[in-house]
Amino acid sequence: MKIWTEKYRPSKFGEVFGQRDIVKKVKALAENGNMPHLLFSGPAGIGKTTLALVIAKEMFGENWKGNFLETNASDERGIDVIRNKIKDFARTKSVSTEFPKIIYLDECDSLTREAQQALRRTMETYAGSARFILSCNFSSKLIDPIQSRCAVFRFKPLDKEEITSVIDNIAEKEGLKISNDTKNALFDVCDGDVRRVINTLQSCAVLNKDIGPETIYEVSNFARPKEIDVVIKMALNRDFEKSRNKLLDIMLTNGLSGLDIIKQLQAEIIKLDVEGKTKLEMIKLCGEAEFRLVEGSDEFIQLEALLASFGLLQ
Ligand SMILES: Nc1ncnc2c1ncn2[C@@H]1O[C@H](COP(=O)(O)OP(=O)(O)OP(=O)(O)O)[C@@H](O)[C@H]1O
Ligand SMILES: [Mg+2]
């Protein structure tokens, strides 16, 4: 059985969901043949690698593999390995095409500043025979000289309508039964990340082709939004102990980390029906707790403090 993210990976521009403006512009650049270096930035699972592969497939046809090098900046030990790999690849002529070869470098934001300087020189050295497509989650981590050498494209998480099209497409081909409630649950769980949608669907389909919202939550390390809502309301009513126990229980049954929980708390607070100012305070408190967790504070102490401070708001 093939993994669905590969089975359903688009191989033509027309098959990419969402990212409409980007696809349109990139398609024009690729067809023109004189493509500049590109920089794709954005969160995980929304089509960066996919679009780079589509460009290669559309420009080079069946010979694309000979003209396309994919390497991952964070896997390779240092920029030297990358440079040698790039050098070996770029110094031979493109196979059966006059377009330059394409080098796709994933996770560029994990390169140190020195490595980025080296990359910048490499990009210049081989600009005649190869084009670079760089990919990263945060373009702000890249040095300016790299950004200014590339046409920058910021990918966005897919919206609900676009995610629904992804789901419908797979449901039809795999014979899945998916209600609107299930689609809503999938959207909650995936945050616009197509890879996560597809993986979740495949895990559910192994159990049953008729997929209910419960199954989505079960396979995806995600607490049911209703339960999180209960925790928040208890905390606001100063039912501190109950709210803390419930939160602990949710974390343990769903295998959630403190950071997962804070994201979910925040999402529920936004939907909450409370006074405007209270809501703003709560969101601010979530941000502070999140920061402390990222810095390495104790999860449980920070989450308890967060619930306690909700109680002190009203
Ligand atoms: N916009 C999209 N349209 C259709 N399928 C998509 C799209 N984005 C992602 N996918 C699906 O999700 C899988 C993963 O996407 P991709 O490898 O392009 O993610 P990425 O943006 O490069 O993420 P990462 O930052 O983690 O590398 C693809 O194989 C494809 O099946
Ligand atoms: Mg990728």
Side-chain angles (χ1 to χ4, degrees):
M1 198 165 84
K2 210 171 161 188
I3 174 161
W4 286 1
T5 47
E6 287 313 320
K7 186 170 170 189
Y8 293 106
R9 196 194 274 279
S11 52
K12 299 196 183 79
F13 287 115
E15 292 167 2
V16 177
F17 289 94
Q19 323 297 2
R20 276 189 215 119
D21 278 355
I22 297 180
V23 172
K24 206 168 105 192
K25 285 183 191 145
V26 166
K27 183 167 183 255
L29 290 173
E31 279 169 357
N32 175 330
N34 190 15
M35 194 177 78
H37 299 308
L38 309 180
L39 172 60
F40 292 171
S41 88
I46 56 174
K48 300 184 298 296
T49 304
T50 303
L51 191 58
L53 287 165
V54 168
I55 294 174
K57 286 173 190 166
E58 294 258 6
M59 276 175 72
F60 304 127
E62 55 185 22
N63 292 315
W64 71 274
K65 281 190 178 151
N67 294 318
F68 183 81
L69 174 73
E70 179 177 0
T71 114
N72 189 322
S74 69
D75 284 353
E76 310 284 356
R77 280 150 296 134
I79 190 72
D80 283 338
V81 182
I82 299 179
R83 264 203 323 233
N84 288 332
K85 236 172 135 174
I86 291 175
K87 195 162 103 191
D88 287 342
F89 177 75
R91 73 178 163 199
T92 55
K93 260 182 68 67
S94 313
V95 188
S96 4
T97 167
E98 67 276 30
F99 294 142
K101 293 179 169 185
I102 294 179
I103 298 169
Y104 181 68
L105 192 55
D106 214 345
E107 301 194 30
C108 285
D109 43 0
S110 67
L111 292 171
T112 61
R113 291 186 76 83
E114 291 72 39
Q116 290 189 32
Q117 292 292 357
L119 172 62
R120 158 197 173 181
R121 282 191 295 277
T122 310
M123 286 171 78
E124 264 156 19
T125 312
Y126 298 104
S129 54
R131 291 290 177 278
F132 285 78
I133 303 178
L134 309 179
S135 156
C136 66
N137 294 129
F138 304 102
S139 64
S140 58
K141 290 193 187 159
L142 295 184
I143 57 173
D144 283 342
I146 288 191
Q147 296 199 41
S148 70
R149 276 171 178 72
C150 300
V152 183
F153 294 95
R154 294 182 205 287
F155 285 58
K156 290 189 201 68
L158 275 70
D159 67 21
K160 201 159 186 172
E161 206 179 301
E162 293 161 346
I163 291 286
T164 305
S165 320
V166 172
I167 300 172
D168 289 343
N169 175 42
I170 294 183
E172 192 197 324
K173 292 184 178 136
E174 298 291 334
L176 307 177
K177 229 177 118 191
I178 299 180
S179 68
N180 277 338
D181 279 351
T182 307
K183 286 181 194 167
N184 286 336
L186 257 171
F187 187 73
D188 274 346
V189 163
C190 77
D191 232 2
D193 174 342
V194 185
R195 182 191 290 120
R196 201 181 298 170
V197 170
I198 300 180
N199 281 336
T200 309
L201 274 179
Q202 187 167 16
S203 316
C204 292
V206 174
L207 306 170
N208 194 336
K209 296 246 173 194
D210 186 350
I211 302 173
E214 283 303 303
T215 324
I216 302 282
Y217 293 120
E218 266 158 38
V219 302
S220 58
N221 284 8
F222 195 87
R224 286 150 193 75
K226 263 188 219 130
E227 290 192 87
I228 297 282
D229 187 56
V230 170
V231 170
I232 298 174
K233 287 187 175 140
M234 284 175 181
L236 282 173
N237 290 330
R238 302 200 182 172
D239 237 340
F240 174 73
E241 240 169 89
K242 268 199 204 156
S243 123
R244 158 189 180 275
N245 293 343
K246 174 94 185 152
L247 188 71
L248 210 63
D249 182 47
I250 294 175
M251 283 177 75
L252 296 178
T253 30
N254 296 288
L256 298 176
S257 72
L259 282 170
D260 294 334
I261 279 283
I262 291 201
K263 276 196 196 134
Q264 278 205 259
L265 281 170
Q266 219 237 26
E268 287 312 304
I269 290 170
I270 291 179
K271 298 185 217 155
L272 213 60
D273 183 21
V274 292
E275 203 198 323
K277 188 153 180 278
T278 313
K279 196 183 270 193
L280 296 182
E281 281 292 342
M282 292 171 84
I283 289 172
K284 180 172 152 231
L285 290 165
C286 284
E288 288 165 3
E290 195 252 6
F291 179 73
R292 292 194 204 104
L293 287 192
V294 172
E295 292 288 303
S297 297
D298 183 287
E299 292 194 336
F300 293 105
I301 294 183
Q302 288 305 325
L303 288 172
E304 283 177 3
L306 183 62
L307 295 179
S309 38
F310 287 170
L312 292 170
L313 284 176
Q314 302 201 324

